[in-house]
Amino acid sequence: MRGDGRRETAFMGVPIEVMISVGKARPLVADLVKLRRDSVITLNTRIDDPVELYVGERLIARGELQEMDDGSGQLGVRLTEVADLSKGV
């Protein structure tokens, strides 16, 4: 049962957490317990590979990491593919 447009619009102002996945690693437990400051874990991706954006476990988009132009040093994601979200997240 679909609600009326007012009810659906009310949800548009609710913040939602988006997780960005840059890659995966599969280290041994023995390697994990040896981790220290400045340790490096090798991921299964390259620096220029697309990142994936998730809401919960649902993949909603892919994109490229980029540094923001405002001098803040923050990262952003330029979207290159977006899933059809017309039926909801």
Side-chain angles (χ1 to χ4, degrees):
M1 181 171 151
R2 286 186 67 102
D4 60 29
R6 290 175 292 176
R7 186 175 295 159
E8 290 175 11
T9 303
F11 286 105
M12 294 303 217
V14 176
I16 190 165
E17 184 172 81
V18 176
M19 303 233 303
I20 312 298
S21 175
V22 296
K24 295 179 183 176
R26 197 170 173 97
L28 299 174
V29 173
D31 294 330
L32 282 179
V33 298
K34 294 178 194 171
L35 291 177
R36 299 291 180 260
R37 182 184 175 119
D38 295 326
S39 295
V40 176
I41 297 176
T42 303
L43 301 176
N44 66 342
T45 54
R46 299 179 45 85
I47 193 83
D48 55 351
D49 284 347
V51 296
E52 296 179 331
L53 287 74
Y54 289 90
V55 171
E57 293 186 13
R58 181 166 179 200
L59 176 65
I60 62 163
R62 288 189 177 91
E64 302 166 345
L65 284 178
Q66 67 178 50
E67 187 173 357
M68 300 306 293
D69 291 334
D70 60 6
S72 65
Q74 286 187 294
L75 289 175
V77 177
R78 178 179 305 282
L79 301 182
T80 57
E81 296 177 52
V82 179
D84 178 8
L85 302 175
S86 63
K87 294 191 169 82
V89 180

